[in-house]
């Protein structure tokens, strides 16, 4: 067993896990954070996307011990009890998700994009979502929602950014 | 070099099959606080059916969509439904929900009529009130009427209804009959670039015009059309289940079974052609499956327009398109030599 200590959504969490355990299983099974989804488990579908030190990763491809000492942000870290994150709000208003299984991964990809590039072009948005497969929506309303957030239609008041 | 082409494809699609029994049932209960509860057996899978059913009940009762509590897909409490299949839910289940709401409303009208000193058929609903047609100032809150219906008249306002599309059996001699309740229509136009050195096809834009009767929720209609087009793009260019000689699928994973990503999807323009079907709930028909019917045909017609090649098996992979371009060039060279 390997002891891993990481910062998850702003909280220090520790677990003792087998060295081959993936970050996805650590999040879901040890920490009860089931927002990141287990889809293909081989890095094709992107349903397990989380943000590690500011970059998106397929958490099914990262070992839990590799996340030791790092900052992990999952979809559970976006909303507060009071309000949804602006990306989530925009997705809700645009009807961007249908079955929703890809949603947590897509939203994390969008978050990482907007953190790095607050005013992305449509092509840059498409490029950022290319690792997240969606069978329902054709991606159109996701792209529109991300554009809305970039334009500031769904920005949170200053000082409350997640 | 890249060659631009445009293709068009049209389709019709049947809604509300009648070959076998195809019923949906619903129960609508109007509560004493003016809200309503809908029991339906249909399943929400993200397409938005339950939102549309709530909208239909709300429209019939003159209340807000948020006032309708939907209880769905629970065999303990809801009527069995034929299924969230065949693009039937808005039309068939929607009709059942509307009829159930109409019956519950009828009970309220009987209770309200003597209070407003008119006949029941002179009443209408609006803004959570029952009011006299032409005299909206003469009104009572729906919740108060529902409370009185139960507590004074002893008849709680509950309606249940079934809708089963009308059947005309097909004549075994002529094949004539009425196999479906109604039909929807659509046209899609695809614009593509075809690289004539590699056969690679890029879909640039798809414009899709869809008739679904009256669009009860246009945003959800758009979502269905955009999603259907992504399935159509995959069908046209990428998706294929491959088998080895023993019949075992060799690409049963998302690494080798290729489906459209956000980078493969073109700009999609959705046009909803507003129409009214008198047999649908508030004029609505359906929109699910019809959305991906024309896409592949439009794209393959666009490939033909771009490079003059007819691909007759799907998906139209770069390999097939390039083989077609090569064959066409060889044929043209032969004709020049012969000439």
């Amino acid at each position: 067993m390997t002891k891993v200590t990481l910062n998850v959504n702003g909280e220090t969490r520790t677990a003792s896990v087998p060295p081959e355990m993936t970050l996805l299983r650590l999040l879901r099974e040890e920490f009860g954070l089931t927002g990141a989804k287990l889809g293909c488990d081989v890095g094709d579908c992107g349903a397990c996307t989380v943000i590690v030190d500011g970059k998106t990763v397929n958490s099914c491809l990262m070992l839990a011990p590799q996340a030791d000492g790092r900052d992990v942000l999952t979809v559970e870290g976006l909303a507060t009890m009071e309000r949804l994150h602006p990306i989530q709000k925009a997705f809700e208003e645009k009807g961007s998700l249908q079955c929703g299984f890809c949603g947590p991964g897509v939203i994390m990809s969008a978050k990482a994009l907007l953190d790095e590039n607050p005013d992305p072009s449509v092509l840059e948005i498409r490029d950022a979502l290319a690792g997240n497969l969606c069978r329902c929506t054709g991606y159109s309303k996701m792209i529109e929602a991300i554009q809305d957030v970039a334009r500031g239609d769904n920005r949170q008041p200053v000082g409350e950014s997640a | 070099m890249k060659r631009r082409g445009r293709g068009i494809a049209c389709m019709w699609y049947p809604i509300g099959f009648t070959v076998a029994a195809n019923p949906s049932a619903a129960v609508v209960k109007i509560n004493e606080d003016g809200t309503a509860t809908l029991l339906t057996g249909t399943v929400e899978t993200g397409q938005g059916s339950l939102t549309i059913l709530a909208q239909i009940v709300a429209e019939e009762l003159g209340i807000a969509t948020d006032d309708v509590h939907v209880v769905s897909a629970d065999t303990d409490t809801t009527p069995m439904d034929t299924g969230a299949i065949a693009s039937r839910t808005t039309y068939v289940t929607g009709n059942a929900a509307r009829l159930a709401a109409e019956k519950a409303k009828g009970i309220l009208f009987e209770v309200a009529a003597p209070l407003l000193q008119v006949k029941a058929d002179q009443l209408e609903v609006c803004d959570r009130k029952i009011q006299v047609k032409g005299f909206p100032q003469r009104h009572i809150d729906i919740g108060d009427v529902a409370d009185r219906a139960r507590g004074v008249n002893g008849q709680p306002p509950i309606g249940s209804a079934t809708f089963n599309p009308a059947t005309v059996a097909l004549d075994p001699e002529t094949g004539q009959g009425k196999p479906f309740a109604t039909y929807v229509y659509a046209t899609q136009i695809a614009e593509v670039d075809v690289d004539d050195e590699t056969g690679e096809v890029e879909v640039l834009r798809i414009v899709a015009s869809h008739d679904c009767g009256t669009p009860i929720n246009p945003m959800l209609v758009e979502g269905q059309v955009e999603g259907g087009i992504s399935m159509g793009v995959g069908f046209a260019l990428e998706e294929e289940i491959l088998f080895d000689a023993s019949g075992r699928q060799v690409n049963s994973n998302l690494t080798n079974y290729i489906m459209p990503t956000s980078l493969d999807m073109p700009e999609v323009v959705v046009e909803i052609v507003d129409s009214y079907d008198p047999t649908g709930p508030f004029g609505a028909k359906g929109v699910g499956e019809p959305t991906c019917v024309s896409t592949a045909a439009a794209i393959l017609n666009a490939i033909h327009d771009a490079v003059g090649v007819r691909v007759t098996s799907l998906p139209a992979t770069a390999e097939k398109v390039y083989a077609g371009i090569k064959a066409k060039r060889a044929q043209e060279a032969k004709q020049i030599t012969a000439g």
Side-chain angles (χ1 to χ4, degrees):
Chain A
M1 300 293 267
T2 308
K3 193 178 166 206
V4 290
T5 303
L6 57 163
N7 187 307
V8 184
N9 301 332
E11 256 180 72
T12 304
R13 307 285 293 262
T14 299
S16 190
V17 300
E20 74 277 12
M21 179 179 264
T22 63
L23 174 60
L24 177 62
R25 279 187 56 204
L26 173 70
L27 293 169
R28 291 179 59 86
E29 295 168 19
E30 299 293 322
F31 298 157
L33 297 169
T34 52
K37 298 286 180 259
L38 176 68
C40 66
D41 212 15
V42 291
D44 283 328
C45 76
C48 65
T49 304
V50 300
I51 297 177
V52 178
D53 289 343
K55 300 277 181 202
T56 52
V57 301
N58 286 321
S59 61
C60 74
L61 292 185
M62 187 178 206
L63 293 174
Q66 290 176 301
D68 188 47
R70 303 174 79 170
D71 278 331
V72 176
L73 184 65
T74 73
V75 75
E76 288 93 340
L78 297 186
T80 62
M81 289 301 281
E82 287 74 38
R83 63 167 61 85
L84 292 174
H85 185 276
I87 299 173
Q88 293 170 314
K89 188 80 191 140
F91 270 52
E92 183 186 41
E93 281 168 6
K94 282 278 174 194
S96 302
L97 300 175
Q98 289 181 31
C99 89
F101 194 84
C102 71
V106 170
I107 286 168
M108 296 318 283
S109 289
K111 164 95 170 84
L113 170 71
L114 293 175
D115 285 350
E116 204 172 290
N117 178 1
D119 187 23
S121 67
V122 170
L123 189 63
E124 284 168 332
I125 296 172
R126 287 185 184 278
D127 194 49
L129 301 188
N132 297 90
L133 295 180
C134 172
R135 187 81 273 191
C136 302
T137 67
Y139 312 98
S140 299
K141 296 202 182 304
M142 296 174 181
I143 294 164
E144 286 171 25
I146 296 166
Q147 284 179 298
D148 273 8
V149 180
R151 276 196 295 262
D153 299 357
N154 269 287
R155 279 228 192 285
Q156 282 182 329
V158 177
E160 292 186 36
S161 67
Chain B
M1 65 180 281
K2 282 188 178 176
R3 299 192 179 271
R4 177 84 36 107
R6 286 180 181 158
I8 185 167
C10 309
M11 68 109 225
W12 56 261
Y13 198 88
I15 303 289
F17 67 79
T18 59
V19 178
N22 179 18
S24 279
V27 178
V28 170
K29 174 168 82 81
I30 302 170
N31 303 311
E32 290 72 15
D33 62 356
T35 65
T37 305
L38 166 68
L39 308 187
T40 170
T42 198
V43 179
E44 173 67 57
T45 58
Q47 74 280 48
S49 293
L50 299 188
T51 303
I52 283 172
L53 294 177
Q55 286 181 271
I56 289 170
V57 169
E59 184 72 17
E60 185 64 35
L61 298 180
I63 59 179
T65 304
D66 283 352
D67 294 340
V68 182
H69 312 291
V70 182
V71 178
S72 83
D74 180 346
T75 49
D76 274 353
T77 53
T78 64
M80 182 66 184
D81 196 83
T82 301
I85 54 157
S87 306
R88 66 183 285 287
T89 304
T90 297
Y91 183 79
V92 182
T93 314
N95 264 324
R98 196 198 67 73
L99 290 167
E102 190 181 39
K103 283 190 182 171
K105 184 175 76 175
I107 295 169
L108 294 188
F109 279 6
E110 291 299 328
V111 173
L115 300 175
L116 291 165
Q117 296 171 320
V118 292
K119 290 185 175 140
D121 63 7
Q122 290 172 284
L123 294 172
E124 63 184 4
V125 287
C126 183
D127 294 336
R128 301 181 170 123
K129 293 188 287 284
I130 292 171
Q131 63 191 31
V132 180
K133 283 179 195 168
F135 301 93
Q137 70 278 18
R138 292 172 62 192
H139 63 260
I140 319 178
D141 283 353
I142 279 182
D144 294 343
V145 182
D147 190 36
R148 193 179 172 89
R150 182 194 59 78
V152 177
N153 297 57
Q155 195 182 7
I158 299 170
S160 69
T162 297
F163 184 81
N164 187 35
T167 306
V168 179
L170 300 187
D171 185 304
E173 290 289 324
T174 64
Q176 298 292 300
K178 186 178 168 56
F180 297 97
T182 187
Y183 296 84
V184 296
Y185 306 89
T187 296
Q188 294 186 2
I189 302 171
E191 187 171 49
V192 304
D193 268 351
V194 182
D195 187 323
D196 66 4
E197 288 165 33
T198 64
E200 192 181 4
V201 178
E202 184 183 1
V203 186
L204 303 169
R205 197 154 70 108
I206 290 184
V207 179
S209 282
H210 280 259
D211 151 52
C212 58
T214 301
I216 286 175
N217 188 319
M219 183 180 82
L220 293 176
V221 172
E222 285 173 14
Q224 289 293 289
V225 176
E226 290 159 357
I229 286 171
S230 77
M231 295 172 204
V233 168
F235 184 44
L237 300 176
E238 297 172 344
E239 296 182 41
E240 185 173 24
I241 295 177
L242 299 166
F243 299 98
D244 68 14
S246 64
R248 186 171 160 274
Q249 190 186 344
V250 297
N251 62 344
S252 59
N253 55 65
L254 293 165
T255 313
N256 298 313
Y257 181 92
I258 306 299
M259 57 167 274
T261 70
S262 51
L263 286 170
D264 299 317
M265 279 303 292
E267 178 197 351
V268 175
V269 180
V270 181
E271 301 269 0
I272 301 172
V273 182
D274 203 338
S275 67
Y276 184 89
D277 188 304
T279 68
F282 300 106
K285 296 190 281 190
V287 75
E289 295 153 300
T291 58
C292 59
V293 172
S294 347
T295 313
I299 291 171
L300 268 71
N301 284 339
I303 294 171
H304 180 260
D305 184 45
V307 291
V309 168
R310 278 276 169 222
V311 180
T312 53
S313 73
L314 295 176
T317 57
E319 189 182 359
K320 283 184 202 168
V321 175
Y322 181 64
I325 293 169
K326 235 169 90 174
K328 184 168 173 277
R329 282 186 189 143
Q331 187 66 30
E332 282 165 359
K334 224 193 251 175
Q335 281 168 352
I336 290 162
T337 319

